[in-house]
């Protein structure tokens, strides 16, 4: 069984629902006017690349503060209101939560959502490859997409059908059900005239986020990035051919920039050989060559000019 339903009652149930939502989506602070009369339910459907989370709850407020733990790079949520109307706000933007809108919430976005009446909502959590397949730009603030008739007619029934099917499905059905969800979302997003990112630009942005989080990983490179993004190496390279640098050049540039940041740290700082090993260069001379090509200075000259120390420790 792929669908798991949980019911919550009372003040302790409010806390338990908060924990369940944190496990399925992201940590949030849940508040309700009368915790002792609280009754709610959450149904989670795990389809691998896609998770559906349906919640039915009384009037409440949910807050995800700035700086909360983020989902993996490039992940996102889509929120659809099914019952009473609410409002979500974050990053200086607000959007209605109702059957007429789909709200795109980047995986690292802070938000506050208020439901003045009892509400039923559906969250669709997408991993980075899923967001890329839909062409969604998952950086920046949340935004609401107005659903025209075609989107309203297709999306909610498709999500309902997948949840119903998941109650009796087996792991062998996961890929098919995930494909149904992504297909319905794709139609709804296109119908909503979502200003989607250039798919190649979206791939480049996702790759850059991964590189910045894994600069010290010895396996970091085009093949590793393609595997993490669930893309073929040729697809990844084609995306970068549309930009200003190759995949390898982007990785090298970000590593050199990280070296520059480390050179401006407190003295005594790391030597060139240590920095080369830290960021995957073949040796100190290899790093020095790449560094000079980027900054027209040697690491020692850069530290003398920009750092807190006026000499580079012998390597």
């Amino acid at each position: 069984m792929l669908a798991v339903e949980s019911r919550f009652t009372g003040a302790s149930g409010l806390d338990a629902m908060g924990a369940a939502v944190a496990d399925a989506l992201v940590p949030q602070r849940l508040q309700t006017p009368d915790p002792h009369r609280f009754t709610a339910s959450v149904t989670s459907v795990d389809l691998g690349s896609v998770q559906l989370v349906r919640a039915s709850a009384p009037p409440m407020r949910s807050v995800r503060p700035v700086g909360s733990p983020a989902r993996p790079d490039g992940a996102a949520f889509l929120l659809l209101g099914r019952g009473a109307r609410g409002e979500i706000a974050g990053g200086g933007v607000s959007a209605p939560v109702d059957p007429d809108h789909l709200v795109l919430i980047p995986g690292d976005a802070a938000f506050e959502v208020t439901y003045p009446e009892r509400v039923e909502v559906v969250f669709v959590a997408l991993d980075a490859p899923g967001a890329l397949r839909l062409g969604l730009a998952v950086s920046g603030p949340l935004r609401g997409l107005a659903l025209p008739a075609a989107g309203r007619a297709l999306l909610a029934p498709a999500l309902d059908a997948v949840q119903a099917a998941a109650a009796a499905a087996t792991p062998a059905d996961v890929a098919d059900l995930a494909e149904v969800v992504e297909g319905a979302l794709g139609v709804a997003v296109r119908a909503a005239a979502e200003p989607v990112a250039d798919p190649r630009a979206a791939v480049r942005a996702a790759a850059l986020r991964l590189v910045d989080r894994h600069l010290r990983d010895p396996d970091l490179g085009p093949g590793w990035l393609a595997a993490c993004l669930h893309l073929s190496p040729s697809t990844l390279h084609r995306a970068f051919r549309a930009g200003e640098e190759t995949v390898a050049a982007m990785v090298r540039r970000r590593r050199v920039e990280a070296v520059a940041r480390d050179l401006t740290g407190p003295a005594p700082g790391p030597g060139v050989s240590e920095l080369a090993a830290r960021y995957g260069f073949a040796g100190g001379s290899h790093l020095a060559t790449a560094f000079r090509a980027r900054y027209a200075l040697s690491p020692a000259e850069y530290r003398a000019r920009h750092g807190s120390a006026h000499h580079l420790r012998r390597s």
Side-chain angles (χ1 to χ4, degrees), residues 10 25 96 104 131-132 136-137 167 209-210 213 219 244 272 275 282 287:
L25 298 170
L104 171 61
L132 284 174
L136 292 171
R209 285 192 295 268
L210 277 172
R213 290 176 65 91
D219 295 326
E244 298 179 351
V272 173
L275 289 170
L287 168 57

Side-chain angles (χ1 to χ4, degrees), residues 276-292:
R278 179 182 297 176
Y279 291 111
F281 291 91
S285 60
H286 182 210
L287 168 57
T289 299
F291 195 93
R292 186 176 288 278

